[in-house]
Amino acid sequence: TSNQIVAAMMTFVLITGFFSLTLINYVLSANSRMLRELTAYVAQVDHMDSFSRGIVDSRALLFYPSVAVLVLVITYHVFQYRRWKG
């Protein structure tokens, strides 16, 4: 965005959403298996819990770099869009 306050609020909402996925994962534990596995994979608290116990999970090692690459690709495309638009 062009406004830093809007960017900070969007980031806060996204981070809070990722942290709340753990709670959603426990609430939906009996319903859909696919949704439960997806929320468990994305839930940050579960990844941090494994790291704090000294367990290095390969899913977390794949998750963090893939999210970083995804954000970088999206940022690149936003900058390209702004360059050609402007």
Side-chain angles (χ1 to χ4, degrees), residues 2-79:
S2 59
N3 189 345
Q4 292 178 347
I5 304 249
V6 173
M9 292 303 294
M10 288 173 51
T11 303
F12 178 74
V13 167
L14 286 172
I15 289 173
T16 304
F18 278 127
F19 276 117
S20 67
L21 280 176
T22 303
L23 178 62
I24 292 171
N25 188 26
Y26 292 124
V27 170
L28 298 176
S29 63
N31 292 339
S32 172
R33 178 182 167 99
M34 185 178 83
L35 184 61
R36 184 178 64 229
E37 289 178 4
L38 177 68
T39 56
Y41 181 73
V42 176
Q44 300 293 317
V45 175
D46 292 339
H47 292 301
M48 287 188 284
D49 184 46
S50 298
F51 282 138
S52 68
R53 293 181 188 181
I55 301 170
V56 179
D57 191 8
S58 63
R59 291 178 294 178
L61 292 176
L62 179 67
F63 176 72
Y64 290 119
S66 64
V67 168
V69 167
L70 176 69
V71 170
L72 287 173
V73 167
I74 291 171
T75 303
Y76 174 76
H77 286 292
V78 166
F79 280 135

